[in-house]
Amino acid sequence: MEAKQKLDSLVDDLSKANKLPRLSAAAHDVDKIIKLLSDAREQIAGAMDPHTASLTMTKLQNPIKTTFEKVNDHLKAASSAHKKVGRSLDKHFPLQQLPTDNDSMGDHLPLINRAVAMHLLREGQFGVASTFIDEVQTKNPRATPSSFDEPMDEDEDDEGGEGDEGDEDDTDADADGSLGLAVSTDDDYDLSSLHSQELQDKFAEMYQILQHLKAQNLIPAIEWARANSFELEARGSNLEFELSKLQYVWLFKGPAVNGLPDDQHNGRSGALTYARRHFGRFQSRHLREIQQLASAMVFAPNLATSPYHQTFSIDSAFTDVAASFTREFCSLLGLSAESPLYLAVTAGALALPRLMKYMLATRSKGTEWTTAQELPFETPLPESMLFHSIFVCPVSKEQTTEHNPPMVIPCGHMLARETLQKLCKGNRFKCPYCPSEGLMKDARRVVL
Ligand SMILES: [Zn+2]
């Protein structure tokens, strides 16, 4: 709560600073001075009478002087506003030494550069991205451009673990997997392997479609979903139907709501025509919803009190489909919907206060944090930032890791693999929780 108050007062100071005369006014005045000067130059150059020059110069003096003063006033106001925000920032958020004892990313500059470039590209900051990539590459010139390897591998591996079940010999593979970053050569993370132009084109398309969605035009998004329907369906995505459904509802609302031309393509008859033309392909998967959409016609005069009220509410419909569209678009590119860099930085910032507290506490006690795989405390992250469930072995009380994954044994109980190996006599083990016995080869790895 304390942090919230600090933030509130900071936001307050910032908005005060924003209310001050903008620097655009100063720029305007500078333009005015330039115009005064160039006009005078033309007058003097075109004059026959030699007195014109001195006369023009004299006339010029006062307006130039006052305009300069105005520019200075603007600059002073702006800089004092900046200083005030800076002071407020210092006051509420004094500089603190960050714990840098364990800089696990310190040796991975190429990875960090890649993540930054990727973030800029996916946020649509194409100009900044290409400058960044150019600068990184000028600093680290490479003799050979890297080959066409899979460009989009910065995504977190949410699905992960296929083919790992029950494989007792995967320890080496795991080690390589988790240390993949360390064993790869820099070339793998060369920014040219990003195929930034290709990505830029893709994201430009995404932002164009999003812009249309913002303007409540669904057609480009529907066309994209149709063109990619095979891949989307393979992912179990309903995006194309969701978009088409919203288009039906949008037309149904009529010109008073959707602002489209009042003709046979709009309103209820327009919606019906749309449904007849486009809903057929969705019948096998969404018959019930299509029936509901059609039945709603009967309630058209009084939709608000009908059972279909919810289906036809469009308050957040466009933002919702825009979010689904972004998610699906990114996933077809092999990327997560949210920028991993953004997530990592935000999660890091949220965890930082506890980390700092912990470091101070351990330093004063002279103890050290030795577990490399897990943090020694809980991090207060919101649900949206939690991607992997954590399993703690009920016997060893250790958190499972890549190297010591959770295993399910035939009776259904779950243990960490190392625990299981310790329990093993020969090839057999006895479950510590029930009277069952099992064979090591029947234990299956669980991917959470
Ligand atoms: Zn059991």
Side-chain angles (χ1 to χ4, degrees):
M1 272 301 99
E2 198 193 345
K4 192 185 172 299
Q5 279 168 6
K6 286 179 177 179
L7 272 181
D8 282 347
S9 87
L10 193 62
V11 169
D12 212 40
D13 287 339
L14 254 181
S15 65
K16 267 184 214 150
N18 275 333
K19 275 186 205 128
L20 284 161
R22 303 265 171 85
L23 279 179
S24 57
H28 181 78
D29 284 334
V30 172
D31 285 341
K32 213 163 122 188
I33 295 176
I34 295 173
K35 191 173 180 320
L36 281 171
L37 289 171
S38 42
D39 283 355
R41 186 179 58 193
E42 269 170 41
Q43 264 180 36
I44 294 171
M48 297 292 163
D49 184 355
H51 291 295
T52 314
S54 60
L55 193 68
T56 313
M57 295 300 274
T58 320
K59 269 205 229 156
L60 204 55
Q61 248 171 23
N62 272 339
I64 294 273
K65 191 165 169 251
T66 42
T67 324
F68 255 125
E69 277 163 4
K70 264 163 86 185
V71 172
N72 268 331
D73 288 347
H74 286 310
L75 291 180
K76 263 185 216 156
S79 98
S80 91
H82 277 159
K83 271 187 201 147
K84 219 173 149 198
V85 174
R87 272 199 299 273
S88 157
L89 203 56
D90 287 344
K91 187 177 135 207
H92 295 306
F93 300 94
L95 266 185
Q96 283 179 331
Q97 185 102 46
L98 290 177
T100 48
D101 316 19
N102 296 306
D103 185 3
S104 55
M105 290 306 285
D107 297 332
H108 297 295
L109 192 62
L111 266 187
I112 297 172
N113 284 339
R114 188 190 168 90
V116 171
M118 194 67 199
H119 175 81
L120 292 170
L121 281 171
R122 58 181 300 149
E123 296 296 305
Q125 305 273 357
F126 303 136
V128 188
S130 79
T131 307
F132 178 80
I133 291 171
D134 282 350
E135 284 183 7
V136 169
Q137 278 169 343
T138 341
K139 264 195 190 168
N140 311 294
R142 301 213 177 278
T144 47
S146 112
S147 58
F148 276 71
D149 32 322
E150 180 62 64
M152 297 115 185
D153 49 5
E154 46 88 71
D155 190 8
E156 319 84 327
D157 186 11
D158 279 352
E159 277 84 40
E162 57 273 31
D164 268 348
E165 310 91 70
D167 183 0
E168 288 305 312
D169 287 320
D170 61 356
T171 329
D172 287 346
D174 276 350
D176 279 348
S178 59
L179 297 173
L181 317 178
V183 295
S184 302
T185 60
D186 278 0
D187 268 352
D188 289 342
Y189 298 96
D190 180 3
L191 288 182
S192 63
S193 72
L194 264 181
H195 303 296
S196 55
Q197 188 55 47
E198 226 173 288
L199 275 179
Q200 177 171 329
D201 294 346
K202 289 278 182 197
F203 280 116
E205 185 191 0
M206 183 180 95
Y207 282 108
Q208 228 163 37
I209 296 175
L210 278 175
Q211 218 156 35
H212 282 291
L213 280 179
K214 214 172 178 183
Q216 297 174 316
N217 173 14
L218 291 154
I219 305 299
I222 293 175
E223 280 167 1
W224 178 86
R226 195 164 298 155
N228 293 283
S229 63
F230 182 76
E231 291 88 343
L232 288 172
E233 269 171 41
R235 279 180 41 81
S237 160
N238 291 334
L239 181 66
E240 192 189 350
F241 178 65
E242 290 303 319
L243 288 165
S244 305
K245 195 173 97 178
L246 182 57
Q247 176 69 3
Y248 171 88
V249 170
W250 189 234
L251 291 173
F252 190 100
K253 300 262 177 190
V257 174
N258 63 29
L260 296 169
D262 188 3
D263 55 21
Q264 79 272 24
H265 302 300
N266 198 357
R268 269 174 263 163
S269 67
L272 256 187
T273 317
Y274 184 84
R276 283 204 192 101
R277 187 174 302 160
H278 297 292
F279 281 1
R281 51 193 277 128
F282 303 119
Q283 261 183 17
S284 57
R285 280 175 68 187
H286 302 285
L287 187 62
R288 229 185 104 79
E289 276 177 281
I290 294 173
Q291 282 168 343
Q292 280 179 354
L293 289 171
S295 318
M297 284 288 171
V298 183
F299 290 91
N302 206 1
L303 207 54
T305 55
S306 81
Y308 303 107
H309 160 68
Q310 209 55 39
T311 321
F312 280 76
S313 147
I314 49 163
D315 299 340
S316 65
F318 281 91
T319 6
D320 291 350
V321 291
S324 318
F325 167 76
T326 310
R327 195 172 52 241
E328 298 300 340
F329 195 102
C330 289
S331 84
L332 289 198
L333 288 178
L335 303 173
S336 56
E338 283 258 35
S339 158
L341 183 66
Y342 167 79
L343 269 179
V345 170
T346 314
L350 287 172
L352 207 50
R354 284 196 189 200
L355 191 62
M356 290 169 69
K357 223 174 179 175
Y358 177 83
M359 294 303 252
L360 281 176
T362 48
R363 201 169 294 158
S364 63
K365 276 190 205 157
T367 51
E368 235 181 279
W369 165 26
T370 51
T371 49
Q373 289 285 337
E374 54 187 293
L375 285 173
F377 49 85
E378 290 269 322
T379 40
L381 296 182
E383 214 156 289
S384 61
M385 291 193 171
L386 301 177
F387 296 99
H388 298 283
S389 304
I390 289 169
F391 178 72
V392 176
C393 174
V395 175
S396 67
K397 312 284 183 228
E398 274 174 354
Q399 191 174 316
T400 50
T401 63
E402 269 294 300
H403 306 285
N404 183 24
M407 306 290 285
V408 64
I409 51 182
C411 58
H413 285 112
M414 246 161 86
L415 301 166
R417 187 161 66 196
E418 283 172 9
T419 308
L420 204 53
Q421 281 160 348
K422 276 178 205 155
L423 284 173
C424 244
K425 290 199 175 95
N427 235 343
R428 301 188 76 83
F429 55 80
K430 194 197 157 300
C431 174
Y433 290 96
C434 70
S436 312
E437 287 198 7
L439 292 172
M440 198 63 189
K441 70 173 172 59
D442 295 326
R444 293 268 176 275
R445 181 179 172 165
V446 178
V447 178
L448 296 169

